[in-house]
């Protein structure tokens, strides 16, 4: 019947809307990126619904199976491990397949890590560019070169294993004085905003290991 795109918390389990909870309680089936991970949230809110997994390695057969359930008249909620489904996670594939089958898509908005970081960053929010995860190899240098003149605030996701290397690379391309903000472990117990120039932020990690989840918010060219 309808595919509900339900945003869930990015850390703090209280960051879920009443509409999201009511939707999860009323659908016939929940398609979750990681069913075991999502059980923590579903148990907290006493939501006891059949769950199927839908993740980046789910093949076409899984997509077809969920679309079949929708075509049979079931309401399905799609949730990801964190935040808004489709934002740097595999939800898009299922949403497109549902649309091709004339299934109604109903978004239930809520948190997304990149907006959470941007709004508290103190960097300009009037225009920004969200890049998901930067390409690891092919295309990375071309992209960084293109971004040198970008005047809008640039936001992307980065893993704790790569953040130090990425900061060194950002310093190389954008210079040591460019403003940057790292949003770490947002909405969680160890939430932290690390603000400064690229060089200052890079130096912080000389004395500590980066841990947790990161959003990088980079000031645009010409920003002081
Ligand atoms: N769908 C999610 C959203 O709406 O933001 C993003 C999913 S993406 C697979 C996961 C990445 O988002 C992490 O590697 C991290 O960079 C970022 N992220 C997710 N939760 C976060 C949090 N609580 N604090 C900081 N970054 C977070």
């Amino acid at each position: 019947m309808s595919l509900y795109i339900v945003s869930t918390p990015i850390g703090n389990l209280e960051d879920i809307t009443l509409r999201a909870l009511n939707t999860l309680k009323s659908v016939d089936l929940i398609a979750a990126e990681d069913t075991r991970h999502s059980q923590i949230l579903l148990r907290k809110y006493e939501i006891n619904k059949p769950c199927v997994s839908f993740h980046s390695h789910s093949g076409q057969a899984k997509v077809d199976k969920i679309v079949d359930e929708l075509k049979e008249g079931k309401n399905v909620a799609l949730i990801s491990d964190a935040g808004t489904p489709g934002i740097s996670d595999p939800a898009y594939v299922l949403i497109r397949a549902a649309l091709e089958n004339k299934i109604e898509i109903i978004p239930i908005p809520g948190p997304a890590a990149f907006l959470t970081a941007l709004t508290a960053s103190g960097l300009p929010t009037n225009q920004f560019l969200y890049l998901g995860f930067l390409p690891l190899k092919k295309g990375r240098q071309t992209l960084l070169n293109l971004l040198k003149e970008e005047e809008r605030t640039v936001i992307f996701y980065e893993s704790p294993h790569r953040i130090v290397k990425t900061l060194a690379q950002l310093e190389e391309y954008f210079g040591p004085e460019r403003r940057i903000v790292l949003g770490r472990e947002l909405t969680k117990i160890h939430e932290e905003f690390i603000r400064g120039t690229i060089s200052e932020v890079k130096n912080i990690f000389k004395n500590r290991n980066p841990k947790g989840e990161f959003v990088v918010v980079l000031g645009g060219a010409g920003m002081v």
Side-chain angles (χ1 to χ4, degrees):
M1 203 131 60
S2 298
L3 178 63
Y4 292 85
I5 313 301
V6 182
S7 297
T8 58
I10 58 167
N12 188 321
L13 293 184
E14 293 185 3
D15 291 333
I16 186 155
T17 67
L18 293 174
R19 189 165 169 232
L21 290 176
N22 287 334
T23 303
L24 292 171
K25 282 178 185 160
S26 68
V27 292
D28 303 296
L29 182 69
I30 297 174
E33 199 176 351
D34 177 344
T35 50
R36 280 210 308 202
H37 173 84
S38 292
Q39 276 312 318
I40 302 167
L41 175 77
L42 299 175
R43 262 202 301 271
K44 177 176 168 66
Y45 291 105
E46 298 175 354
I47 296 165
N48 201 355
K49 288 282 168 178
C51 280
V52 289
S53 68
F54 178 75
H55 46 72
S56 53
H57 302 295
S58 298
Q60 189 59 39
K62 194 50 153 306
V63 174
D64 293 344
K65 198 164 179 297
I66 298 172
V67 169
D68 283 346
E69 302 267 17
L70 286 156
K71 280 167 47 181
E72 279 166 21
K74 288 193 179 153
N75 284 313
V76 179
L78 177 60
I79 58 177
S80 56
D81 282 354
T84 300
I87 301 300
S88 301
D89 62 37
Y92 162 72
V93 182
L94 183 59
I95 295 166
R96 197 181 47 183
L99 282 172
E100 280 164 8
N101 284 277
K102 311 235 174 316
I103 285 154
E104 186 186 21
I105 308 289
I106 303 178
I108 312 289
F114 78 94
L115 273 183
T116 307
L118 174 68
T119 49
S121 68
L123 295 174
T125 53
N126 53 335
Q127 288 193 10
F128 60 88
L129 187 62
Y130 168 66
L131 295 173
F133 290 95
L134 297 185
L136 291 184
K137 288 200 179 91
K138 198 169 167 283
R140 188 176 174 101
Q141 293 184 355
T142 315
L143 177 63
L144 290 171
N145 264 321
L146 273 175
L147 291 175
K148 276 185 181 170
E149 303 306 318
E150 177 57 64
E151 292 190 347
R152 292 168 291 184
T153 300
V154 173
I155 315 169
F156 61 91
Y157 290 159
E158 189 52 286
S159 84
H161 316 291
R162 278 190 297 266
I163 191 77
V164 171
K165 262 192 170 174
T166 297
L167 286 168
Q169 205 174 21
L170 293 179
E171 188 172 38
E172 197 184 306
Y173 279 80
F174 303 100
E177 297 303 319
R178 182 70 75 94
R179 310 296 308 173
I180 194 167
V181 179
L182 304 185
R184 190 180 81 83
E185 292 289 90
L186 298 171
T187 78
K188 303 184 195 178
I189 296 168
H190 299 292
E191 175 178 88
E192 184 182 14
F193 287 91
I194 307 171
R195 299 181 176 88
T197 63
I198 295 180
S199 151
E200 286 165 351
V201 170
K202 196 186 85 179
N203 284 340
I204 287 172
F205 292 107
K206 279 193 173 148
N207 304 317
R208 65 182 255 203
N209 276 333
K211 283 198 192 121
E213 298 194 281
F214 284 90
V215 182
V216 180
V217 189
L218 183 68
M223 206 224 131
V224 276

